[in-house]
Every structure is written in structure tokens, then in C-alpha cells.
Amino acid sequence: MLMLTGCFQNENLTDSQVVIDSDELELQLIEYTDIELFTYFNDSLVTNGLSSFMLGHHEDNFRGKIHAEPYLQFGVSSGTKIDDEATLDSTVLVLFYETYHYDTLPGFDISVYELTEELEANDDGNIFSFQQFGHAAQPMVTVPSRILPHKDSLTITLSPSFGNDLFGLGKDNDGPFESTENLEALFRGLMLTTADNSPLVSFSEESYVGFYYRIPSDLDEGAKTLRLPVNLGNEKFTHLRVDRGSEFFSSPSPYENIAREDAQGAVMADILMGASIRIELPNIHELLELADDYYITTASLRLPLKPNTYDRYFNTPVTAINSSIVDKKNLPIQQMGSTSLTSWDEQFQEKTFYEIPVKDFIDYKLSKGINNQDALWISVPSSTSTLQASGLLFSNISGEQKIKIDITYLPLN
């Protein structure tokens, strides 16, 4: 048997109820809305530690613009000397698909530039998405391309002069194909870019530069292939050009807490945009007063996704988010865990939301007192394989679907 009776109510602690279960255990249920939320943009995204790289462009009204350009070095698996009689048929760049993002139907051009500067990580081994390295002023080739879902890769034929020069040097003793070190001394790598009409695509590090050649005297053999894979090169990373201007954010500055009231009631979590969410409890004394008589048994934060900012096909929402505790400078203090998307409502987009356990966070805040400035931090999980292209925008939708914390209290006596 459950019996509900009325309890106190104010503007921040709404819909208060007392629940008495069959064991005559009295629980107090409250809906806490005195929450301050901020979006924080960070420009320091490390992209050289992934097993894939990203190319292309995407823009929409609610995220802004993203343009991705990979910088790639290549390597050799074992020392190879090209036979003196070998003749080169063609040189190609083969890009293996990892994932597609958004609409891949339109055709687009890919331009390939040869690097003039070695890719170099910092002392911590990182290359950040904002960095760029020198490359030729003019592209080696620009070719029309299209993503074809029935194929596993995209092939670009490279400049004959580039292929012939490097292939010819491969016939020398201690030539460029004898080791990755030798190769990178003569060929620093490639940079790829597209126009703004391209999709956003991730490619595998199994992608390679390939030399197709023949040895006329070798009658029993057909065409041979020498492959220089990306994953054997010393470095690769994705450079991102990001414009965060949208219907929610007007040229927002990085490294600032942007209140949701200044973003039309929305907050964003998005790896490519560098966005995370800071959540503060400015009037923790309200919960401290309740804690004198009650013990928190559960607490869950509800974050509804803003309608019309996601769909199943071209802009799927992120299906897991991380939560942690940060200090007043947004520096991490402790991890709290990961939460999967709780409810999915594609048709009406009224009940798609996350419900995140935050009891540990509230207990932490109560233990620190009213002057503590630490906050809850919501972010999209990073990956060792690919950049997460989707993002999340949260906001109030209705009286039921709004940003809130549902708290259950148990009386102490």
C-alpha cells in the first residue's frame, strides 16, 4: 500500500510529497530546480592519439560550423628496395571508411597537399586540433569524390610526378622504402581538405599510399603493390576549424562559463565543438536544512534533449555521457561515472532525456558547506578510435520535461 500526503512547497522544492510504503516507511519526494547551468568551450582537443582521422564539413543552425582536415604521415612495414627494372603504373591514396556523419549523398571535391613541415607533438606527446603545419601552396591533386555506402574505401589517384619521383628514389640503396625514417626524410606526408559541400567522414588508420608497379622481366607475376600505411607513420592528427556561432550562441568565447540564460535556455555537450556543461547548486543551504531531518536515498538529474536538434539518421544524439566533479576553475576533482541515454522519443521528441545519478555529488556538496564552489561537470566521453561527431543540446521542454533534480529523502528518526 502507498499513501501520499502533502508536504511543504516552495519555488525551488516543488511537487513535494510524502510516500508511505507497506512497511510504513515514510519517504519525502521533492523536485529541486534551483540549478544553475553553464556551457564551457575548450579549444584544446587532442586528436593525434586516435586510430582514425576526420575529413569534411558540417554546419547547422544549432551547432555552428565544423571543418576537418587531416594531416597524415606514412610508414613502411619492412625495408623494401624497388627492382631497377620496375615501372610504375599509378600512385593512389586509399582511404578506408570508419564512420559517416550526416548526409553523405552529395558529391564533393578533395584536395591533397604535400606537407613541407614534419608533424611534431609537444613534450606530452599531444597535437591539438587547433594546430596546423606547413604544406605546399597548391594542391597536388583535386579530385571529385562521392561516398558510396556499398564500398569500404575511397581511392584518389595522386600526381604522376610525385609518384615517379618517390618511386624512382626507391630503387637506390638505402632509399625511402628501406625504413620509415628514410621515407619521412623525403616525404613528410599529406594534408587533405574539402569544400564546404562535403560530408563529415572518419577514415581508418589502415588507409595508405599505394604504388602499383610491374617488373617486365617477371613473367609469372602480375602487378605489384607497395603500401605505405598511415598507422606506420610517426604522427597523424585532425585539424578542426570551428565556428560556434548558432541560434543559441553568438560568437561565444572559449574558457568562459556561458549561462543557459544567455543561450536561449540551452546548454551544450559536444566534443567537436569543445563543449561541456557546468552545473552549480547556488543555494545548497536549502538542502542542508532538509538534511538535518532526512537522509538522501536517491537523487537523479534529468536533462531533456532540446527538440529538433537531433534525429535518427543525420544527427543522432550521443548515447552516453560522463559526469564528474570540478572546482571553480573547471579543473577535475573526481570522476563520478558514465550514464546511458535514458529515454528515446524520436517521433515527438518530447521525452528524450538523460537521468543521471547525482546522490554522490549532492552528498559531496553537503559535506563541503555553503561556501564551496565545486560543481558537477557533464561531458561527452572521449574515444581512442574516433572523434564523436554528434553533440547534445539540453533545455526545458515542458512542465514535466525540464532540467531538475528528483530527490528522495528518508527520515532520520
Side-chain angles (χ1 to χ4, degrees), residues 195-207:
D196 291 352
N197 64 334
S198 67
L200 205 54
V201 184
S202 290
F203 296 99
S204 164
E205 64 179 4
E206 303 296 325
S207 303

Side-chain angles (χ1 to χ4, degrees), residues 98-109:
E98 185 84 11
T99 56
Y100 318 124
H101 310 287
Y102 315 112
D103 189 358
T104 58
L105 292 178
F108 58 97
D109 289 345

Side-chain angles (χ1 to χ4, degrees), residues 47-162:
T47 60
N48 66 321
L50 305 173
S51 61
S52 66
F53 52 91
M54 184 174 283
L55 171 69
H57 183 89
H58 177 73
E59 61 182 271
D60 56 44
N61 292 333
F62 47 88
R63 290 180 79 191
K65 300 177 182 179
I66 305 162
H67 195 87
E69 299 172 338
Y71 287 66
L72 310 172
Q73 289 183 317
F74 303 83
V76 295
S77 59
S78 60
T80 301
K81 181 180 180 298
I82 303 298
D83 189 284
D84 289 340
E85 296 183 6
T87 58
L88 181 66
D89 289 338
S90 63
T91 307
V92 298
L93 173 63
V94 178
L95 302 172
F96 289 106
Y97 302 130
E98 185 84 11
T99 56
Y100 318 124
H101 310 287
Y102 315 112
D103 189 358
T104 58
L105 292 178
F108 58 97
D109 289 345
I110 298 179
S111 294
V112 181
Y113 292 79
E114 187 170 359
L115 295 182
T116 58
E117 183 181 1
E118 181 181 355
L119 304 184
E120 186 174 355
N122 64 13
D123 292 341
D124 295 323
N126 297 328
I127 302 179
F128 295 97
S129 61
F130 61 80
Q131 291 183 253
Q132 292 178 282
F133 291 82
H135 57 75
Q138 298 299 321
M140 179 192 304
V141 292
T142 296
V143 296
S145 302
R146 186 184 298 274
I147 303 300
L148 300 176
H150 65 279
K151 293 188 175 182
D152 66 353
S153 62
L154 184 155
T155 299
I156 300 169
T157 300
L158 299 179
S159 162
S161 61
F162 162 77

Side-chain angles (χ1 to χ4, degrees), residues 75 82-83 160 223 225 257 263 265 305 316 329 337 384 393:
I82 303 298
D83 189 284
T225 303
N257 295 327
L305 270 68
T316 56
K329 296 182 178 180
T384 58
L393 276 159

Side-chain angles (χ1 to χ4, degrees), residues 80-88 167-168 170-172 177 213-218 224:
T80 301
K81 181 180 180 298
I82 303 298
D83 189 284
D84 289 340
E85 296 183 6
T87 58
L88 181 66
F167 187 78
K171 298 179 181 181
D172 297 339
F177 306 136
Y213 66 98
R214 296 176 183 273
I215 301 175
S217 61
D218 195 348
K224 297 178 180 292

